[in-house]
PDB file of all heavy atoms in Angstrom:
ATOM      1  N   ASN A 209      88.483  74.475  81.750  1.00 72.00           N
ATOM      2  CA  ASN A 209      87.436  73.882  82.642  1.00 72.00           C
ATOM      3  C   ASN A 209      88.270  73.001  83.672  1.00 72.00           C
ATOM      4  O   ASN A 209      88.655  71.935  83.323  1.00 72.00           O
ATOM      5  CB  ASN A 209      86.526  73.042  81.775  1.00 72.00           C
ATOM      6  CG  ASN A 209      85.487  72.279  82.577  1.00 72.00           C
ATOM      7  OD1 ASN A 209      85.346  72.571  83.757  1.00 72.00           O
ATOM      8  ND2 ASN A 209      84.802  71.357  82.039  1.00 72.00           N
ATOM      9  N   LEU A 210      88.300  73.471  84.937  1.00 67.00           N
ATOM     10  CA  LEU A 210      89.024  72.789  85.939  1.00 67.00           C
ATOM     11  C   LEU A 210      88.189  71.909  86.864  1.00 67.00           C
ATOM     12  O   LEU A 210      88.499  71.477  87.866  1.00 67.00           O
ATOM     13  CB  LEU A 210      89.785  73.815  86.821  1.00 67.00           C
ATOM     14  CG  LEU A 210      90.720  74.709  86.161  1.00 67.00           C
ATOM     15  CD1 LEU A 210      91.400  75.666  87.091  1.00 67.00           C
ATOM     16  CD2 LEU A 210      91.849  73.827  85.468  1.00 67.00           C
ATOM     17  N   THR A 211      86.887  71.632  86.395  1.00 70.00           N
ATOM     18  CA  THR A 211      86.041  70.709  87.014  1.00 70.00           C
ATOM     19  C   THR A 211      85.572  69.575  86.149  1.00 70.00           C
ATOM     20  O   THR A 211      84.389  69.484  85.738  1.00 70.00           O
ATOM     21  CB  THR A 211      84.833  71.428  87.684  1.00 70.00           C
ATOM     22  OG1 THR A 211      84.122  72.158  86.609  1.00 70.00           O
ATOM     23  CG2 THR A 211      85.227  72.396  88.705  1.00 70.00           C
ATOM     24  N   PRO A 212      86.481  68.793  85.566  1.00 69.00           N
ATOM     25  CA  PRO A 212      86.199  67.734  84.551  1.00 69.00           C
ATOM     26  C   PRO A 212      85.430  66.649  85.302  1.00 69.00           C
ATOM     27  O   PRO A 212      85.439  66.407  86.392  1.00 69.00           O
ATOM     28  CB  PRO A 212      87.560  67.319  84.091  1.00 69.00           C
ATOM     29  CG  PRO A 212      88.467  67.448  85.156  1.00 69.00           C
ATOM     30  CD  PRO A 212      87.945  68.686  85.941  1.00 69.00           C
ATOM     31  N   ALA A 213      84.695  65.942  84.347  1.00 69.00           N
ATOM     32  CA  ALA A 213      83.841  64.753  84.834  1.00 69.00           C
ATOM     33  C   ALA A 213      84.929  63.601  84.976  1.00 69.00           C
ATOM     34  O   ALA A 213      85.854  63.456  84.270  1.00 69.00           O
ATOM     35  CB  ALA A 213      82.788  64.368  83.881  1.00 69.00           C
ATOM     36  N   VAL A 214      84.524  62.709  85.991  1.00 70.00           N
ATOM     37  CA  VAL A 214      85.437  61.646  86.284  1.00 70.00           C
ATOM     38  C   VAL A 214      84.840  60.376  85.606  1.00 70.00           C
ATOM     39  O   VAL A 214      83.585  60.108  85.669  1.00 70.00           O
ATOM     40  CB  VAL A 214      85.559  61.360  87.794  1.00 70.00           C
ATOM     41  CG1 VAL A 214      86.381  60.089  88.165  1.00 70.00           C
ATOM     42  CG2 VAL A 214      86.069  62.586  88.542  1.00 70.00           C
ATOM     43  N   LEU A 215      85.688  59.603  84.916  1.00 71.00           N
ATOM     44  CA  LEU A 215      85.296  58.318  84.315  1.00 71.00           C
ATOM     45  C   LEU A 215      84.953  57.250  85.293  1.00 71.00           C
ATOM     46  O   LEU A 215      85.850  57.021  86.190  1.00 71.00           O
ATOM     47  CB  LEU A 215      86.385  57.864  83.337  1.00 71.00           C
ATOM     48  CG  LEU A 215      86.755  58.737  82.101  1.00 71.00           C
ATOM     49  CD1 LEU A 215      87.834  58.052  81.289  1.00 71.00           C
ATOM     50  CD2 LEU A 215      85.564  59.095  81.335  1.00 71.00           C
ATOM     51  N   ARG A 216      83.802  56.714  85.262  1.00 72.00           N
ATOM     52  CA  ARG A 216      83.450  55.662  86.256  1.00 72.00           C
ATOM     53  C   ARG A 216      83.936  54.290  85.700  1.00 72.00           C
ATOM     54  O   ARG A 216      83.191  53.527  85.193  1.00 72.00           O
ATOM     55  CB  ARG A 216      81.802  55.622  86.426  1.00 72.00           C
ATOM     56  CG  ARG A 216      81.296  56.955  86.816  1.00 72.00           C
ATOM     57  CD  ARG A 216      81.845  57.327  88.162  1.00 72.00           C
ATOM     58  NE  ARG A 216      81.240  58.701  88.571  1.00 72.00           N
ATOM     59  CZ  ARG A 216      81.614  59.350  89.761  1.00 72.00           C
ATOM     60  NH1 ARG A 216      82.487  58.694  90.485  1.00 72.00           N
ATOM     61  NH2 ARG A 216      81.042  60.459  90.033  1.00 72.00           N
ATOM     62  N   ARG A 217      85.197  54.055  85.949  1.00 72.00           N
ATOM     63  CA  ARG A 217      85.782  52.877  85.541  1.00 72.00           C
ATOM     64  C   ARG A 217      86.660  52.335  86.612  1.00 72.00           C
ATOM     65  O   ARG A 217      87.273  53.070  87.331  1.00 72.00           O
ATOM     66  CB  ARG A 217      86.743  53.111  84.294  1.00 72.00           C
ATOM     67  CG  ARG A 217      86.011  53.507  83.021  1.00 72.00           C
ATOM     68  CD  ARG A 217      86.918  53.826  81.940  1.00 72.00           C
ATOM     69  NE  ARG A 217      87.784  52.678  81.664  1.00 72.00           N
ATOM     70  CZ  ARG A 217      87.637  51.918  80.467  1.00 72.00           C
ATOM     71  NH1 ARG A 217      86.686  52.212  79.687  1.00 72.00           N
ATOM     72  NH2 ARG A 217      88.341  50.890  80.327  1.00 72.00           N
ATOM     73  N   ARG A 218      86.651  50.973  86.802  1.00 72.00           N
ATOM     74  CA  ARG A 218      87.439  50.348  87.848  1.00 72.00           C
ATOM     75  C   ARG A 218      88.731  49.847  87.333  1.00 72.00           C
ATOM     76  O   ARG A 218      88.970  48.672  87.444  1.00 72.00           O
ATOM     77  CB  ARG A 218      86.597  49.182  88.459  1.00 72.00           C
ATOM     78  CG  ARG A 218      85.317  49.720  89.196  1.00 72.00           C
ATOM     79  CD  ARG A 218      84.529  48.612  89.822  1.00 72.00           C
ATOM     80  NE  ARG A 218      83.284  49.009  90.477  1.00 72.00           N
ATOM     81  CZ  ARG A 218      82.532  48.291  91.065  1.00 72.00           C
ATOM     82  NH1 ARG A 218      82.774  46.860  91.163  1.00 72.00           N
ATOM     83  NH2 ARG A 218      81.433  48.730  91.730  1.00 72.00           N
ATOM     84  N   ASP A 219      89.491  50.667  86.679  1.00 70.00           N
ATOM     85  CA  ASP A 219      90.777  50.293  86.134  1.00 70.00           C
ATOM     86  C   ASP A 219      91.614  51.500  86.238  1.00 70.00           C
ATOM     87  O   ASP A 219      91.352  52.522  86.800  1.00 70.00           O
ATOM     88  CB  ASP A 219      90.636  49.709  84.664  1.00 70.00           C
ATOM     89  CG  ASP A 219      89.923  50.697  83.748  1.00 70.00           C
ATOM     90  OD1 ASP A 219      89.846  51.906  84.115  1.00 70.00           O
ATOM     91  OD2 ASP A 219      89.389  50.289  82.717  1.00 70.00           O
ATOM     92  N   GLU A 220      92.840  51.234  85.560  1.00 71.00           N
ATOM     93  CA  GLU A 220      93.885  52.253  85.650  1.00 71.00           C
ATOM     94  C   GLU A 220      93.370  53.661  84.903  1.00 71.00           C
ATOM     95  O   GLU A 220      93.849  54.688  85.347  1.00 71.00           O
ATOM     96  CB  GLU A 220      95.182  51.898  84.932  1.00 71.00           C
ATOM     97  CG  GLU A 220      95.975  50.843  85.761  1.00 71.00           C
ATOM     98  CD  GLU A 220      95.269  49.405  85.699  1.00 71.00           C
ATOM     99  OE1 GLU A 220      94.282  49.245  84.895  1.00 71.00           O
ATOM    100  OE2 GLU A 220      95.699  48.498  86.430  1.00 71.00           O
ATOM    101  N   ILE A 221      92.617  53.450  83.913  1.00 67.00           N
ATOM    102  CA  ILE A 221      92.062  54.683  83.251  1.00 67.00           C
ATOM    103  C   ILE A 221      91.178  55.534  84.274  1.00 67.00           C
ATOM    104  O   ILE A 221      91.293  56.753  84.291  1.00 67.00           O
ATOM    105  CB  ILE A 221      91.330  54.302  82.002  1.00 67.00           C
ATOM    106  CG1 ILE A 221      92.212  53.729  80.932  1.00 67.00           C
ATOM    107  CG2 ILE A 221      90.668  55.616  81.439  1.00 67.00           C
ATOM    108  CD1 ILE A 221      91.537  53.255  79.683  1.00 67.00           C
ATOM    109  N   GLY A 222      90.338  54.807  84.976  1.00 73.00           N
ATOM    110  CA  GLY A 222      89.665  55.465  86.017  1.00 73.00           C
ATOM    111  C   GLY A 222      90.470  56.142  87.098  1.00 73.00           C
ATOM    112  O   GLY A 222      90.160  57.297  87.498  1.00 73.00           O
ATOM    113  N   LYS A 223      91.482  55.451  87.485  1.00 78.00           N
ATOM    114  CA  LYS A 223      92.498  56.034  88.440  1.00 78.00           C
ATOM    115  C   LYS A 223      93.161  57.236  87.823  1.00 78.00           C
ATOM    116  O   LYS A 223      93.372  58.325  88.574  1.00 78.00           O
ATOM    117  CB  LYS A 223      93.586  55.007  88.868  1.00 78.00           C
ATOM    118  CG  LYS A 223      92.918  53.940  89.695  1.00 78.00           C
ATOM    119  CD  LYS A 223      94.015  52.946  90.129  1.00 78.00           C
ATOM    120  CE  LYS A 223      93.509  51.817  90.974  1.00 78.00           C
ATOM    121  NZ  LYS A 223      94.549  50.809  91.366  1.00 78.00           N
ATOM    122  N   LEU A 224      93.580  57.135  86.616  1.00 74.00           N
ATOM    123  CA  LEU A 224      94.169  58.228  85.914  1.00 74.00           C
ATOM    124  C   LEU A 224      93.220  59.482  85.834  1.00 74.00           C
ATOM    125  O   LEU A 224      93.622  60.578  86.055  1.00 74.00           O
ATOM    126  CB  LEU A 224      94.624  57.903  84.534  1.00 74.00           C
ATOM    127  CG  LEU A 224      95.443  59.063  83.830  1.00 74.00           C
ATOM    128  CD1 LEU A 224      96.593  59.495  84.567  1.00 74.00           C
ATOM    129  CD2 LEU A 224      95.757  58.447  82.392  1.00 74.00           C
ATOM    130  N   SER A 225      92.000  59.172  85.559  1.00 75.00           N
ATOM    131  CA  SER A 225      90.982  60.237  85.509  1.00 75.00           C
ATOM    132  C   SER A 225      90.903  60.920  86.875  1.00 75.00           C
ATOM    133  O   SER A 225      90.751  62.164  87.013  1.00 75.00           O
ATOM    134  CB  SER A 225      89.618  59.657  85.077  1.00 75.00           C
ATOM    135  OG  SER A 225      88.647  60.627  85.109  1.00 75.00           O
ATOM    136  N   GLU A 226      90.743  60.145  87.922  1.00 76.00           N
ATOM    137  CA  GLU A 226      90.698  60.600  89.262  1.00 76.00           C
ATOM    138  C   GLU A 226      91.905  61.458  89.618  1.00 76.00           C
ATOM    139  O   GLU A 226      91.817  62.612  90.289  1.00 76.00           O
ATOM    140  CB  GLU A 226      90.560  59.522  90.312  1.00 76.00           C
ATOM    141  CG  GLU A 226      90.481  60.063  91.788  1.00 76.00           C
ATOM    142  CD  GLU A 226      89.218  60.841  92.084  1.00 76.00           C
ATOM    143  OE1 GLU A 226      88.251  60.832  91.288  1.00 76.00           O
ATOM    144  OE2 GLU A 226      89.277  61.625  93.063  1.00 76.00           O
ATOM    145  N   GLY A 227      93.109  60.980  89.098  1.00 78.00           N
ATOM    146  CA  GLY A 227      94.297  61.753  89.419  1.00 78.00           C
ATOM    147  C   GLY A 227      94.304  63.127  88.692  1.00 78.00           C
ATOM    148  O   GLY A 227      94.765  64.168  89.308  1.00 78.00           O
ATOM    149  N   ILE A 228      93.811  63.109  87.448  1.00 75.00           N
ATOM    150  CA  ILE A 228      93.666  64.309  86.740  1.00 75.00           C
ATOM    151  C   ILE A 228      92.783  65.343  87.436  1.00 75.00           C
ATOM    152  O   ILE A 228      92.927  66.498  87.473  1.00 75.00           O
ATOM    153  CB  ILE A 228      93.323  64.083  85.257  1.00 75.00           C
ATOM    154  CG1 ILE A 228      94.471  63.371  84.522  1.00 75.00           C
ATOM    155  CG2 ILE A 228      92.975  65.423  84.541  1.00 75.00           C
ATOM    156  CD1 ILE A 228      94.061  63.007  83.124  1.00 75.00           C
ATOM    157  N   ARG A 229      91.600  64.695  87.881  1.00 74.00           N
ATOM    158  CA  ARG A 229      90.616  65.616  88.628  1.00 74.00           C
ATOM    159  C   ARG A 229      91.200  66.212  89.864  1.00 74.00           C
ATOM    160  O   ARG A 229      91.012  67.343  90.094  1.00 74.00           O
ATOM    161  CB  ARG A 229      89.418  64.683  88.950  1.00 74.00           C
ATOM    162  CG  ARG A 229      88.186  65.505  89.607  1.00 74.00           C
ATOM    163  CD  ARG A 229      87.173  64.667  90.140  1.00 74.00           C
ATOM    164  NE  ARG A 229      87.627  63.864  91.291  1.00 74.00           N
ATOM    165  CZ  ARG A 229      87.712  64.370  92.488  1.00 74.00           C
ATOM    166  NH1 ARG A 229      87.284  65.550  92.760  1.00 74.00           N
ATOM    167  NH2 ARG A 229      88.154  63.581  93.530  1.00 74.00           N
ATOM    168  N   MET A 230      91.970  65.396  90.676  1.00 80.00           N
ATOM    169  CA  MET A 230      92.652  65.937  91.819  1.00 80.00           C
ATOM    170  C   MET A 230      93.649  67.034  91.423  1.00 80.00           C
ATOM    171  O   MET A 230      93.809  68.063  92.122  1.00 80.00           O
ATOM    172  CB  MET A 230      93.246  64.802  92.645  1.00 80.00           C
ATOM    173  CG  MET A 230      92.193  63.794  93.202  1.00 80.00           C
ATOM    174  SD  MET A 230      93.072  62.467  94.035  1.00 80.00           S
ATOM    175  CE  MET A 230      93.868  63.313  95.419  1.00 80.00           C
ATOM    176  N   MET A 231      94.327  66.728  90.338  1.00 79.00           N
ATOM    177  CA  MET A 231      95.365  67.720  89.916  1.00 79.00           C
ATOM    178  C   MET A 231      94.673  68.976  89.508  1.00 79.00           C
ATOM    179  O   MET A 231      95.171  70.083  89.758  1.00 79.00           O
ATOM    180  CB  MET A 231      96.236  67.187  88.746  1.00 79.00           C
ATOM    181  CG  MET A 231      97.315  67.940  88.282  1.00 79.00           C
ATOM    182  SD  MET A 231      98.193  67.343  86.870  1.00 79.00           S
ATOM    183  CE  MET A 231      98.729  65.783  87.480  1.00 79.00           C
ATOM    184  N   SER A 232      93.519  68.831  88.745  1.00 79.00           N
ATOM    185  CA  SER A 232      92.821  70.055  88.338  1.00 79.00           C
ATOM    186  C   SER A 232      92.315  70.883  89.596  1.00 79.00           C
ATOM    187  O   SER A 232      92.350  72.137  89.524  1.00 79.00           O
ATOM    188  CB  SER A 232      91.702  69.676  87.368  1.00 79.00           C
ATOM    189  OG  SER A 232      90.736  68.999  88.112  1.00 79.00           O
ATOM    190  N   GLN A 233      91.856  70.222  90.562  1.00 78.00           N
ATOM    191  CA  GLN A 233      91.437  70.861  91.773  1.00 78.00           C
ATOM    192  C   GLN A 233      92.605  71.591  92.488  1.00 78.00           C
ATOM    193  O   GLN A 233      92.328  72.642  93.008  1.00 78.00           O
ATOM    194  CB  GLN A 233      90.832  69.803  92.786  1.00 78.00           C
ATOM    195  CG  GLN A 233      89.518  69.255  92.266  1.00 78.00           C
ATOM    196  CD  GLN A 233      88.939  68.282  93.313  1.00 78.00           C
ATOM    197  OE1 GLN A 233      89.630  67.734  94.171  1.00 78.00           O
ATOM    198  NE2 GLN A 233      87.718  67.901  93.101  1.00 78.00           N
ATOM    199  N   GLN A 234      93.806  70.936  92.458  1.00 82.00           N
ATOM    200  CA  GLN A 234      94.933  71.625  92.986  1.00 82.00           C
ATOM    201  C   GLN A 234      95.316  72.860  92.232  1.00 82.00           C
ATOM    202  O   GLN A 234      95.697  73.893  92.834  1.00 82.00           O
ATOM    203  CB  GLN A 234      96.123  70.532  93.031  1.00 82.00           C
ATOM    204  CG  GLN A 234      97.382  71.151  93.703  1.00 82.00           C
ATOM    205  CD  GLN A 234      97.110  71.394  95.244  1.00 82.00           C
ATOM    206  OE1 GLN A 234      96.343  70.726  95.846  1.00 82.00           O
ATOM    207  NE2 GLN A 234      97.738  72.458  95.704  1.00 82.00           N
ATOM    208  N   ILE A 235      95.278  72.727  90.910  1.00 79.00           N
ATOM    209  CA  ILE A 235      95.558  73.909  90.089  1.00 79.00           C
ATOM    210  C   ILE A 235      94.537  75.103  90.326  1.00 79.00           C
ATOM    211  O   ILE A 235      94.805  76.219  90.472  1.00 79.00           O
ATOM    212  CB  ILE A 235      95.446  73.502  88.582  1.00 79.00           C
ATOM    213  CG1 ILE A 235      96.658  72.529  88.260  1.00 79.00           C
ATOM    214  CG2 ILE A 235      95.538  74.718  87.694  1.00 79.00           C
ATOM    215  CD1 ILE A 235      96.532  72.036  86.871  1.00 79.00           C
ATOM    216  N   ARG A 236      93.184  74.671  90.494  1.00 79.00           N
ATOM    217  CA  ARG A 236      92.220  75.585  90.796  1.00 79.00           C
ATOM    218  C   ARG A 236      92.475  76.332  92.078  1.00 79.00           C
ATOM    219  O   ARG A 236      92.317  77.556  92.304  1.00 79.00           O
ATOM    220  CB  ARG A 236      90.792  74.984  90.765  1.00 79.00           C
ATOM    221  CG  ARG A 236      89.662  75.964  91.000  1.00 79.00           C
ATOM    222  CD  ARG A 236      88.316  75.359  90.832  1.00 79.00           C
ATOM    223  NE  ARG A 236      88.201  74.088  91.826  1.00 79.00           N
ATOM    224  CZ  ARG A 236      87.139  73.335  91.745  1.00 79.00           C
ATOM    225  NH1 ARG A 236      86.084  73.519  90.954  1.00 79.00           N
ATOM    226  NH2 ARG A 236      87.181  72.295  92.557  1.00 79.00           N
ATOM    227  N   LYS A 237      92.859  75.446  93.224  1.00 83.00           N
ATOM    228  CA  LYS A 237      93.097  76.063  94.393  1.00 83.00           C
ATOM    229  C   LYS A 237      94.286  77.017  94.360  1.00 83.00           C
ATOM    230  O   LYS A 237      94.284  78.082  95.036  1.00 83.00           O
ATOM    231  CB  LYS A 237      93.416  74.892  95.412  1.00 83.00           C
ATOM    232  CG  LYS A 237      93.754  75.376  96.916  1.00 83.00           C
ATOM    233  CD  LYS A 237      93.911  74.190  97.754  1.00 83.00           C
ATOM    234  CE  LYS A 237      94.133  74.727  99.224  1.00 83.00           C
ATOM    235  NZ  LYS A 237      95.250  75.644  99.284  1.00 83.00           N
ATOM    236  N   THR A 238      95.290  76.583  93.596  1.00 83.00           N
ATOM    237  CA  THR A 238      96.534  77.394  93.445  1.00 83.00           C
ATOM    238  C   THR A 238      96.107  78.773  92.894  1.00 83.00           C
ATOM    239  O   THR A 238      96.544  79.860  93.214  1.00 83.00           O
ATOM    240  CB  THR A 238      97.561  76.773  92.600  1.00 83.00           C
ATOM    241  OG1 THR A 238      97.890  75.578  93.250  1.00 83.00           O
ATOM    242  CG2 THR A 238      98.796  77.624  92.489  1.00 83.00           C
ATOM    243  N   MET A 239      95.202  78.726  91.810  1.00 81.00           N
ATOM    244  CA  MET A 239      94.813  79.928  91.115  1.00 81.00           C
ATOM    245  C   MET A 239      94.007  80.781  92.115  1.00 81.00           C
ATOM    246  O   MET A 239      94.155  82.098  92.024  1.00 81.00           O
ATOM    247  CB  MET A 239      93.963  79.590  89.875  1.00 81.00           C
ATOM    248  CG  MET A 239      94.842  78.914  88.814  1.00 81.00           C
ATOM    249  SD  MET A 239      93.831  78.467  87.300  1.00 81.00           S
ATOM    250  CE  MET A 239      93.384  80.094  86.820  1.00 81.00           C
ATOM    251  N   GLN A 240      93.127  80.222  92.886  1.00 83.00           N
ATOM    252  CA  GLN A 240      92.387  80.987  93.848  1.00 83.00           C
ATOM    253  C   GLN A 240      93.298  81.650  94.936  1.00 83.00           C
ATOM    254  O   GLN A 240      93.045  82.808  95.273  1.00 83.00           O
ATOM    255  CB  GLN A 240      91.403  80.028  94.576  1.00 83.00           C
ATOM    256  CG  GLN A 240      90.256  79.566  93.681  1.00 83.00           C
ATOM    257  CD  GLN A 240      89.283  78.569  94.364  1.00 83.00           C
ATOM    258  OE1 GLN A 240      89.695  78.037  95.432  1.00 83.00           O
ATOM    259  NE2 GLN A 240      88.200  78.211  93.774  1.00 83.00           N
ATOM    260  N   ASP A 241      94.270  80.910  95.336  1.00 84.00           N
ATOM    261  CA  ASP A 241      95.252  81.506  96.264  1.00 84.00           C
ATOM    262  C   ASP A 241      95.954  82.689  95.620  1.00 84.00           C
ATOM    263  O   ASP A 241      96.178  83.751  96.290  1.00 84.00           O
ATOM    264  CB  ASP A 241      96.314  80.360  96.738  1.00 84.00           C
ATOM    265  CG  ASP A 241      95.611  79.334  97.613  1.00 84.00           C
ATOM    266  OD1 ASP A 241      94.482  79.527  98.167  1.00 84.00           O
ATOM    267  OD2 ASP A 241      96.242  78.254  97.701  1.00 84.00           O
ATOM    268  N   LYS A 242      96.348  82.488  94.442  1.00 86.00           N
ATOM    269  CA  LYS A 242      97.041  83.626  93.663  1.00 86.00           C
ATOM    270  C   LYS A 242      96.065  84.775  93.601  1.00 86.00           C
ATOM    271  O   LYS A 242      96.489  85.925  93.754  1.00 86.00           O
ATOM    272  CB  LYS A 242      97.448  83.108  92.325  1.00 86.00           C
ATOM    273  CG  LYS A 242      98.190  84.115  91.508  1.00 86.00           C
ATOM    274  CD  LYS A 242      98.561  83.571  90.161  1.00 86.00           C
ATOM    275  CE  LYS A 242      99.326  84.514  89.295  1.00 86.00           C
ATOM    276  NZ  LYS A 242      99.652  83.983  87.928  1.00 86.00           N
ATOM    277  N   ASP A 243      94.748  84.610  93.349  1.00 84.00           N
ATOM    278  CA  ASP A 243      93.834  85.672  93.251  1.00 84.00           C
ATOM    279  C   ASP A 243      93.751  86.455  94.587  1.00 84.00           C
ATOM    280  O   ASP A 243      93.608  87.677  94.633  1.00 84.00           O
ATOM    281  CB  ASP A 243      92.522  85.191  92.770  1.00 84.00           C
ATOM    282  CG  ASP A 243      92.475  84.739  91.286  1.00 84.00           C
ATOM    283  OD1 ASP A 243      93.416  85.209  90.494  1.00 84.00           O
ATOM    284  OD2 ASP A 243      91.645  83.971  90.889  1.00 84.00           O
ATOM    285  N   GLU A 244      93.742  85.628  95.691  1.00 86.00           N
ATOM    286  CA  GLU A 244      93.564  86.198  96.964  1.00 86.00           C
ATOM    287  C   GLU A 244      94.853  87.070  97.340  1.00 86.00           C
ATOM    288  O   GLU A 244      94.729  88.104  97.856  1.00 86.00           O
ATOM    289  CB  GLU A 244      93.484  85.080  98.060  1.00 86.00           C
ATOM    290  CG  GLU A 244      92.143  84.370  98.019  1.00 86.00           C
ATOM    291  CD  GLU A 244      92.016  83.275  99.031  1.00 86.00           C
ATOM    292  OE1 GLU A 244      93.072  82.937  99.707  1.00 86.00           O
ATOM    293  OE2 GLU A 244      91.025  82.569  99.041  1.00 86.00           O
TER     294      GLU A 244
END
Side-chain angles (χ1 to χ4, degrees):
N209 179 15
L210 299 179
T211 56
V214 180
L215 297 181
R216 302 300 179 183
R217 296 175 60 105
R218 298 182 179 180
D219 55 18
E220 288 75 9
I221 296 178
K223 292 181 180 179
L224 182 58
S225 176
E226 178 65 21
I228 293 176
R229 185 188 67 83
M230 294 177 62
M231 186 185 300
S232 65
Q233 290 179 347
Q234 183 63 35
I235 294 174
R236 182 174 57 183
K237 182 178 182 301
T238 301
M239 294 177 65
Q240 290 175 348
D241 293 342
K242 183 179 178 181
D243 291 338
E244 290 177 359

